[in-house]
Amino acid sequence: MKTLPALGSTSVIYPESWDVGQVFAAALSSHSPFEAPALTWLGRKVFLDVEPGREGYVAYALLGSHVRDVKPGDYPLEFSFTQDGEQFLVKSTVRLRAKRYPEEHLKVESQMVNPPKSEAARIQQEARLAAAARKTMTAKRLWTTPPERPVAGVVTSKYGFRRVYNSVPRSPHAGTDFRAPTGTPIKAPFAGKVVLTGFYYYSGGSVFIDSGNGVISLFFHMSELSVKEGDEVKKGQVVGKSGATGRVTGAHLHYALSLAGQYSDPEPLFSTSITQLLRGMKATVVRGEGQSP
Ligand SMILES: [Zn+2]
């Protein structure tokens, strides 16, 4: 049974439990204006946007958990905001449930499993650039749901697959692979700003796009990039062409969704919206009339 907040109240909405690796939604909603909404999840502070909503004002968040790093269990989710000149902090907990992702065996060129020593410095530098790009945190929400599919091709490798390269176990798959012959135009699933581009050892031709609130899209193995750092892109805009650059077994698009630094499964999001994700979740009144005991 859904609890409706009383008139003149402020509520937080979040799931009590969710699957590890899967994208979930959270929101802060109020009849009165509020400022500086943020939340803290898995060690990162996520700045949110205030927008007109059904109840008056709303701040939306898309969150997740990287199946490689996060074990099932209870994790704190803290909301903070300023209202009527007062600062508020709301502490809640989300239980992350275990989810079993299948195993996948792949054969790749041996230098890609054990890169030559001469490439070590390059690989390290590229990892630093990627990590910095994924730390981008801007408050303006540019993402809208459902995201646009980046290519029409079918999914050939799902998020979370535990990959075994030439019999050597590696990290679970941090993104979704789409079938995309070399030269297939790749569309941005969300509007945003390009924060990093380059041709890298592992990921080949790469584009990183910030869509606000910690929502970062990554496109790998591209043959051609049609955007540069600092460019603003519209939802559905072509950002480049697919290819087989970097550590690959053939041409495809690797699309990854980083949510406040947590690589999460983008696939279910292509057929849902923030409204659907929040539907049926309990709204907890944190301020005003009808406050929960
Ligand atoms: Zn991939």
Side-chain angles (χ1 to χ4, degrees), residues 22-23 43 62 66 83 90 94 99 101 115 136 203 228 233 237 242 246 280 282:
Q22 297 297 304
V23 176
L62 281 183
H66 189 181
Q83 199 165 36
V90 180
V94 175
K99 179 175 165 69
Y101 294 93
T136 310
S203 58
K228 56 183 193 313
V233 299
Q237 186 179 325
S242 65
K282 196 178 71 184

Side-chain angles (χ1 to χ4, degrees), residues 227-247:
V227 289
K228 56 183 193 313
E229 283 166 43
D231 283 359
E232 283 174 14
V233 299
K234 293 191 178 77
K235 184 172 186 167
Q237 186 179 325
V238 172
V239 298
K241 289 178 176 168
S242 65
T245 56
R247 181 174 72 176

Side-chain angles (χ1 to χ4, degrees), residues 163 173 177 252 254:
R163 307 185 117 176
H173 195 207
D177 290 350
H252 72 279
H254 171 97

Side-chain angles (χ1 to χ4, degrees), residues 7 18-19 26 39 43 57 65 70 82 96 98 112 128 135 152 165 170 207 211 218 220 244 253 257 280 283 288:
L7 274 177
W18 209 256
D19 285 343
L39 49 79
Y57 303 86
S65 52
V70 182
T82 302
L96 291 176
M112 283 300 181
R128 272 195 293 270
K135 281 203 176 110
Y165 285 110
R170 290 278 152 152
V207 171
S211 298
L218 297 82
F220 287 175
L253 168 67
L257 181 62

Side-chain angles (χ1 to χ4, degrees), residues 1-286:
M1 186 75 186
K2 196 178 165 189
T3 316
L4 288 171
L7 274 177
S9 65
T10 302
S11 330
V12 294
I13 307 161
Y14 61 92
E16 283 171 353
S17 66
W18 209 256
D19 285 343
V20 161
Q22 297 297 304
V23 176
F24 68 94
L28 179 62
S29 166
S30 184
H31 293 88
S32 322
F34 57 89
E35 285 157 23
L39 49 79
T40 305
W41 172 245
L42 299 176
R44 287 288 309 280
K45 190 163 184 181
V46 183
F47 297 107
L48 306 179
D49 209 357
V50 185
E51 304 168 54
R54 221 173 357 168
E55 317 257 290
Y57 303 86
V58 67
Y60 292 115
L62 281 183
L63 299 171
S65 52
H66 189 181
V67 66
R68 183 193 70 187
D69 304 334
V70 182
K71 300 265 172 291
D74 290 348
Y75 292 90
L77 174 64
E78 290 185 359
F79 295 80
S80 58
F81 59 100
T82 302
Q83 199 165 36
D84 305 326
E86 244 188 292
Q87 277 185 308
F88 295 90
L89 179 68
V90 180
K91 293 184 176 193
S92 58
T93 303
V94 175
R95 170 160 295 176
L96 291 176
R97 302 179 299 237
K99 179 175 165 69
R100 187 151 181 90
Y101 294 93
E103 197 172 273
E104 183 182 48
H105 289 259
L106 297 168
K107 271 203 164 59
V108 294
E109 306 256 355
S110 66
Q111 75 264 26
M112 283 300 181
V113 177
N114 300 109
K117 279 207 168 66
S118 57
E119 298 289 349
R122 175 191 171 183
I123 290 167
Q124 256 184 29
Q125 168 62 6
E126 291 172 356
R128 272 195 293 270
L129 285 172
R134 285 177 53 221
K135 281 203 176 110
T136 310
M137 184 56 70
T138 50
K140 183 148 182 58
R141 179 169 79 101
L142 298 173
W143 54 271
T144 55
T145 52
E148 186 146 339
R149 219 177 151 85
V151 292
V154 297
V155 169
T156 52
S157 174
K158 288 174 175 286
Y159 168 92
F161 274 9
R162 287 165 301 135
R163 307 185 117 176
V164 182
Y165 285 110
N166 304 351
S167 307
V168 182
R170 290 278 152 152
S171 289
H173 195 207
T176 298
D177 290 350
F178 292 89
R179 179 168 296 151
T182 295
T184 307
I186 297 167
K187 292 177 188 168
F190 304 108
K193 189 175 179 179
V194 178
V195 288
L196 182 67
T197 60
F199 280 84
Y200 301 136
Y201 184 80
Y202 281 115
S203 58
S206 306
V207 171
F208 292 60
I209 296 175
D210 166 34
S211 298
N213 321 125
V215 176
I216 316 280
S217 286
L218 297 82
F219 310 83
F220 287 175
H221 313 307
M222 295 161 80
S223 58
E224 222 181 287
L225 316 184
S226 48
V227 289
K228 56 183 193 313
E229 283 166 43
D231 283 359
E232 283 174 14
V233 299
K234 293 191 178 77
K235 184 172 186 167
Q237 186 179 325
V238 172
V239 298
K241 289 178 176 168
S242 65
T245 56
R247 181 174 72 176
V248 288
T249 50
H252 72 279
L253 168 67
H254 171 97
Y255 172 71
L257 181 62
S258 174
L259 300 174
Q262 301 290 324
Y263 280 126
S264 307
D265 186 359
E267 208 184 335
L269 202 55
F270 290 108
S271 49
T272 191
S273 68
I274 184 98
T275 319
Q276 281 172 293
L277 283 168
L278 290 169
R279 190 169 293 155
M281 275 182 204
K282 196 178 71 184
T284 307
V285 177
V286 294

